[in-house]
Amino acid sequence: MVSAHLNTSDSADNSRPVLDWTHRLTQLGPRFFTRLQPTPVAAPRWAARNESLRAELGWPAGIFDDDHLQAFAGNALMVGSDPLATVYSGHQFGQWAGQLGDGRAIWLGEAASAQGPQEIQLKGAGRTPYSRGGDGRAVLRSSIREYLCSEAMHGLGIATTRALSLVASPEPVRRETIESAAVVARVAPSFLRFGHFEHFSAQGDTDSLRALADHAIAHHLPQCQERMQRWQGNVYAALLDEVQERTARLLAQWQAVGFCHGVMNTDNMSVLGLTIDYGPFQFMDGFDPGHVCNHSDHQGRYAYGRQPNVAYWNLYALAQAIAPLIDDQPMTLQVLEGYKTLFPQYLGDAMRAKLGLTGSLAPESEREADWTLVEDLMQLMATEKVDFTLFWRQLSHAVLRQSRATTLNNEGWSAVTDLVLDRPRLLAWLERYTARAGQGNFAGMGARMLQTNPKFVLRNHLAETAIRQAKVGDFSEIDNLYNLLKSPFDEHPGFEAYADLPPDWASQLEISCSS
Ligand code: AMP
Ligand code: MG
């Protein structure tokens, strides 16, 4: 194990780096970022350390020792890091917002890992030239939500930035009320956003735009070199195509687990197709396609049911930004068209998998018939506002149970029919479903469905309980939730209450943009 040394004033030059830093982003040069130091916070304390992620990355256990607490708080620098904040722009709520940038995320650098090079950012580590009047801080409440949700998404198999650590500080932060500060260390192969491209395009700086695209292709999306054969050798068309495909896959996954992001502005869209910038997100409780999780989103622009179209709108903004590189308008439009085919395909496959009906190679007619089955069920679920996660999990159990019945009986479906008012309607649907699937296949289907439909998601009230305890200095509930959410398909006996319907007080929770 490499010994840990921090480049603090008292442990200086003779220290060796604990991580093997690479920093390829810095090759882009100063038009892309400003070098700066994090601003220290008072009296930092570990609130959570992600041992699984550390081990996956093959980083030494020493990065979580008490010296490194100072580094992950932004109070000291790890030897070899090269802190900076990047500049980007973007569209917020459908309007061009101009220059934004890392207003409170400080990039520490890029380090080699067992999963390839990973960039590390400290979110909430102080002001930057892009803070625009903000304080550069993040509150403990939203930092706990980000820490837990990024690991929950990963547990669900959904591409996301990861959270390595969470440090709490008693330092006051003013939001609607006075709250306390926290710093999340987040990790991703790249934090590049659609907004980074929009920034240089809006400035008419095509050289920088090209440098950025070349950087993304060379270091993060090398598959574009192959993909450009589909686009007459146009590597920038291939880049847009790669991003639209990743975005289509991501959106299908969000929809399939009932995840609402809440702030799908173009500056919150990852070029790698990762879920990024966890703010007022929510896993839906009762199913409602019109559900808006962000109480500041008065128009409902980012309602659950609108997310796929918003993603397309955002891809259009990205396409406009890199159009000067593609330099072929019909081709640019044709690349974007891909989303309109791919998203429904990914969603169709994801929803069929939720029903235990697998096989993306199934014939078109069968996929269409299955989609009708999915749509009819979703309509029923919406009418009933049935709990999204519970319904799919109970259906999975019921299918497994029915596989053992000598003859199918309505009693066997009671776990799902008990969740709705209109039982005859659901029973009629279940009859069609059984006819399609065949009871003989139920055993395998049920087992697969239990690995597809999670028992545990980060419901708002669960996060809220962890937040309330953390505010009085007890961080143990963060670990409890983390342990459930990192393997959300396991039963975790003894933790049934965490998979239950939300309590009455949960409906009063309001999640705003303020974080
Ligand atoms: P968001 O919608 O949270 O992704 O943030 C939009 C923009 O505002 C980004 O450029 C953020 O860096 C910036 N920002 C948000 N909150 C703060 C804050 N407290 N201090 C400085 N910048 C912030
Ligand atoms: Mg953001």
Side-chain angles (χ1 to χ4, degrees), residues 44-57:
R45 254 182 90 184
W46 291 116
R49 282 169 272 192
N50 190 342
E51 267 300 329
S52 311
L53 176 58
R54 183 199 61 72
E56 271 172 53
L57 297 176

Side-chain angles (χ1 to χ4, degrees), residues 17-185:
V18 173
L19 297 178
D20 179 8
W21 298 99
T22 43
H23 301 323
R24 293 171 301 177
L25 182 74
T26 60
Q27 292 160 9
L28 283 169
R31 273 173 301 182
F32 294 84
F33 52 77
T34 303
R35 286 199 161 88
L36 81 179
Q37 305 289 311
T39 309
V41 283
R45 254 182 90 184
W46 291 116
R49 282 169 272 192
N50 190 342
E51 267 300 329
S52 311
L53 176 58
R54 183 199 61 72
E56 271 172 53
L57 297 176
W59 287 350
I63 65 165
F64 284 155
D65 66 17
D66 281 341
D67 284 345
H68 282 82
L69 169 61
Q70 299 301 329
F72 286 110
N75 294 359
L77 284 183
M78 277 189 270
V79 173
S81 63
D82 187 4
L84 55 85
T86 70
V87 64
Y88 53 81
S89 294
H91 285 84
Q92 299 188 317
F93 293 90
Q95 306 290 327
W96 176 242
Q99 184 189 301
L100 304 163
D102 297 324
R104 54 170 170 176
I106 294 184
W107 189 89
L108 294 183
E110 181 191 49
S113 89
Q115 313 276 332
Q118 300 289 327
E119 298 182 358
I120 309 173
Q121 281 189 348
L122 295 184
K123 184 167 175 181
R127 305 198 60 199
T128 78
Y130 316 111
S131 297
R132 299 178 304 141
D135 56 11
R137 292 299 180 196
V139 296
L140 179 61
R141 165 179 54 85
S142 65
S143 305
I144 291 173
R145 284 168 52 85
E146 167 142 6
Y147 181 87
L148 286 175
C149 198
S150 38
E151 292 314 293
M153 292 302 255
H154 179 72
L156 291 167
I158 301 177
T160 176
T161 62
R162 304 288 302 275
L164 184 63
S165 68
L166 172 62
V167 172
S169 157
E171 213 163 287
V173 178
R174 182 181 294 275
R175 295 293 179 261
E176 280 98 351
T177 59
I178 302 288
E179 302 191 44
S180 66
V183 180
V184 175

Side-chain angles (χ1 to χ4, degrees), residues 442-492:
F442 272 11
M445 281 171 55
R448 280 199 307 275
M449 289 165 78
L450 287 167
Q451 292 305 309
T452 307
N453 298 306
K455 179 169 182 177
F456 301 99
V457 294
L458 183 61
R459 295 175 187 263
N460 269 350
H461 76 277
L462 296 176
E464 186 62 23
T465 304
I467 290 164
R468 287 179 187 176
Q469 294 189 14
K471 281 182 174 170
V472 293
D474 175 3
F475 302 126
S476 58
E477 189 61 10
I478 301 174
D479 279 337
N480 282 341
L481 285 174
Y482 166 79
N483 284 324
L484 297 177
L485 295 168
K486 73 178 175 179
S487 51
F489 304 107
D490 293 352
E491 287 297 332
H492 296 278

Side-chain angles (χ1 to χ4, degrees), residues 88 92 101 104 123 186 193 263 265 267-268 276-277:
Y88 53 81
Q92 299 188 317
R104 54 170 170 176
K123 184 167 175 181
R186 58 182 183 184
R193 301 149 189 272
V263 204
N265 294 331
D267 56 305
N268 291 338
I276 191 171
D277 280 12

Side-chain angles (χ1 to χ4, degrees), residues 387 389-390 455-457 459 462 495-501:
D387 186 87
T389 308
L390 206 57
K455 179 169 182 177
F456 301 99
V457 294
R459 295 175 187 263
L462 296 176
F495 288 87
E496 273 66 33
Y498 289 79
D500 243 338
L501 288 171

